Structure formats: structure tokens, C-alpha cells
Amino acid sequence: MSANCTFSDVDNVTMVLDFVIYVPVLVFGLALNITALVVFCVLLRKWTESTIYMTNLALMDLLLLLPLPFKMHAAMHTWASNTKFFCSFLESLYFVGMYGSIYTIACIAVDRYIAIKYPFRAKQLRSKKVALIVCGFIWVFVMGATSPIYTFRDENNDDFRCFHGFSKKGWTTGVIVCLEIFGFLLPATVLVVCSTQSIRTLKATESKNSKRQAGVRIIYSSLAAFLIPFTPCHAAIFLQYLVRNDFISDCSQQKNIAVFIQVSMSLANVTICLDALCYYFIAKEVRSTTDTVLSRVRSISTSEV
């Protein structure tokens, strides 16, 4: 980055964004996700594959919300050098929550695809045990993948800003390529493919069936709820990589990218807080549309006999 380029005006924008967006996100996000956990774990008497994924999603979202007060503080204050490990721990929680949510959403799309595309085989392919193993693997994977964050701070005694200013180690080509491919492109591809196939299967049923139409709409909605916040977010990360590696040296462009990454990350956080609520209705619709597909297949089989 250019040494002559100052970002004080960008810092002011960041402070306003953090206060205006993160305060309501924290309040409503905590309320919605705690409510979701109560519904999934207490009020619903029967555990299913869907409720296991919903619970995991709510836990991931809560994990992302916990560092937000510290992130707001870091936007307005520098931190002492002896707090770097604690800062890295908070940053790790933040990214574990974000990418854990992304992978849980992708797994929900796969589970939904199996339930709709293969309704008769779903009982063999889907089970509570499989869902628990998948959720456990997501936790292990994202915690391992985000562990390098603890090395992304320069080892000096200067005060610093947490959640800002990673060292060159955090912006190497290998790190960014892995983040973009495994953190976004891979789960996004899984989500798009599974959603497309689910929609095709639903459209192959009776054209005037209201449940089928509702199922198609809600899959489109879930697809948009993933791509709209996370595509700009990861585009901004790539642009910031270009800045940090001196591919973009113009000061005005660097400032625009700095603002873009803050706005896109804020948008992603807002969406994540609504995940558990959104996907509860998706899971409910999946059960409904699966029954529709089953009844349609049975009627075709009966007529052929």
C-alpha cells in the first residue's frame, strides 16, 4: 500500500458503519439466534436432520456475533501490543462463525436436494447420525482452516487496531487463493448446483401445485440470500489482496476498496444474523415439497401399474 495514502476518512466511515449496523445486528441477531436455539433444542420434541443443521447454523451465527462488540471498539481505539493473542482469538472466532455458516448453508442445500430429488432413497442417504458427523466435520475444518490467523500479526511492541491491518502473511497469494476457493467458490458451487437441481425436480411435478411453487420461490430466496452478501464480500477481499500486494497503487482506488470491504462485510454480517430464521422456513418448506414429490411419484407408479 502507498505510504503517502492516508485512510483517516475511511476510518471515520468505518466507525459510523460499525455503530449504525452492528448495534442492531448484535441486538436482533442474539435475540433471533437464541430464540432459534430454544425452538430447535427445547420446543421441537423430535430431532431431525433439518433441526440439527439449523441448530449448527444458529451456533455458528452466535459465534460470529460474540466478537462484534470488540470489533466496534477496535474501529475507534488502538489496542496495546500485549493483547495481540486475544485479538487473534477474536478474529478467529469471527471467521470460524462466518465460514462455518457458509458451509452449514451448503450442507443444508445438499440435504434439501437429496430430500427432493431422491425422496424414496432419502431415508437411507439422510440420517441424524450423518447430520451430526457433517456438523462436527464443519467445526473441525473451519477451526483448522482459520488457525493461521494467529500468525497474521507483526511481532512488534506497537499499538495496533484489531480486525484491521493484517501483516503480509495474511495477504499472500496462497492464503487468498485458498480462502476464495474453499471459503466461497466451492460452497457456492455446491449451493447453486443443488438448488438448480432441486428447482428442476419441483418444476417437473404438477405445474399448478401451490406447494411446489412455494418451494421453488423459497429455494430462489435462499440462493439469493447467500450470493448477494457473500459475492461482494469475497470480491472485496480479492481487491484488497491486489492493494496489499501493490497491484493497485492509486490512493483513491485504495480508499474506495477499503470502504467497499467494510460495507460488504457489514452486509454479510446482517444476512448471517437472519440465517436461522430464514432456514427454519426453508426446512419447513422442504418437508412440504418432499411430500408433494412423493405423492406425485406414487401416483405415476400407480397409473403405470
Side-chain angles (χ1 to χ4, degrees):
M1 296 176 66
S2 175
N4 298 323
C5 192
T6 58
F7 291 84
S8 57
D9 49 345
V10 175
D11 292 340
N12 293 332
V13 171
T14 301
M15 285 188 286
V16 173
L17 272 176
D18 284 351
F19 182 79
V20 171
I21 295 178
Y22 286 156
V23 169
V25 162
L26 188 63
V27 173
F28 290 107
L30 285 173
L32 286 173
N33 283 283
I34 290 173
T35 301
L37 285 176
V38 171
V39 170
F40 298 145
C41 299
V42 179
L43 299 182
L44 294 180
R45 297 183 179 181
K46 184 180 179 181
W47 279 89
T48 65
E49 299 84 7
S50 296
T51 55
I52 290 171
Y53 287 122
M54 299 300 112
T55 300
N56 195 64
L57 185 60
L59 288 173
M60 288 294 185
D61 290 349
L62 283 175
L63 197 65
L64 183 142
L65 289 168
L66 293 178
L68 287 189
F70 300 97
K71 193 173 187 295
M72 287 187 286
H73 181 273
M76 296 178 281
H77 304 88
T78 57
W79 289 21
S81 60
N82 60 0
T83 62
K84 286 182 179 178
F85 181 83
F86 179 61
C87 168
S88 296
F89 172 71
L90 294 172
E91 291 167 341
S92 177
L93 289 183
Y94 182 83
F95 287 108
V96 166
M98 173 174 285
Y99 289 102
S101 295
I102 286 175
Y103 267 88
T104 303
I105 291 169
C107 290
I108 290 172
V110 174
D111 184 69
R112 177 178 61 206
Y113 164 73
I114 292 172
I116 293 174
K117 183 74 172 180
Y118 306 104
F120 288 117
R121 295 180 58 193
K123 289 184 178 181
Q124 288 75 40
L125 297 173
R126 302 168 70 230
S127 69
K128 290 179 282 187
K129 182 179 179 180
V130 170
L132 287 170
I133 291 173
V134 169
C135 291
F137 176 79
I138 291 173
W139 280 92
V140 172
F141 174 74
V142 294
M143 289 177 71
T146 57
S147 59
I149 286 177
Y150 289 90
T151 67
F152 290 170
R153 290 286 166 191
D154 289 323
E155 295 183 3
N156 54 47
N157 295 322
D158 298 332
D159 290 350
F160 69 102
R161 292 184 63 203
C162 193
F163 292 95
H164 298 272
F166 284 150
S167 68
K168 283 287 186 179
K169 291 181 181 179
W171 295 100
T172 60
T173 301
V175 169
I176 299 304
V177 167
C178 288
L179 184 146
E180 295 287 351
I181 292 176
F182 296 104
F184 175 67
L185 292 177
L186 179 60
T189 301
V190 170
L191 181 67
V192 170
V193 170
C194 289
S195 298
T196 301
Q197 292 300 314
S198 297
I199 289 170
R200 286 179 179 176
T201 301
L202 291 176
K203 285 186 175 181
T205 61
E206 297 176 17
S207 60
K208 295 183 180 180
N209 189 286
S210 60
K211 289 183 179 180
R212 189 273 301 172
Q213 293 171 349
V216 170
R217 286 196 300 268
I218 205 162
I219 292 174
Y220 276 128
S221 299
S222 66
L223 195 58
F226 181 94
L227 294 177
I228 290 174
F230 291 123
T231 301
C233 171
H234 287 84
I237 290 173
F238 177 71
L239 291 173
Q240 186 69 358
Y241 157 77
L242 297 179
V243 170
R244 294 299 298 267
N245 287 274
D246 300 322
F247 292 104
I248 296 177
S249 57
D250 181 75
C251 184
S252 62
Q253 291 182 352
Q254 290 182 1
K255 289 182 177 181
N256 290 336
I257 291 170
V259 172
F260 178 42
I261 196 169
Q262 294 299 327
V263 172
S264 61
M265 292 294 285
S266 298
L267 175 62
N269 292 334
V270 170
T271 305
I272 283 175
C273 292
L274 302 175
D275 280 344
L277 183 65
C278 174
Y279 280 92
Y280 167 75
F281 292 105
I282 292 173
K284 185 178 179 181
E285 193 62 44
V286 166
R287 290 193 294 271
S288 175
T289 52
T290 302
D291 292 340
T292 300
V293 174
L294 276 170
S295 62
R296 176 60 175 166
V297 172
R298 284 170 183 150
S299 64
I300 293 174
S301 300
T302 303
S303 62
E304 290 178 347
V305 175

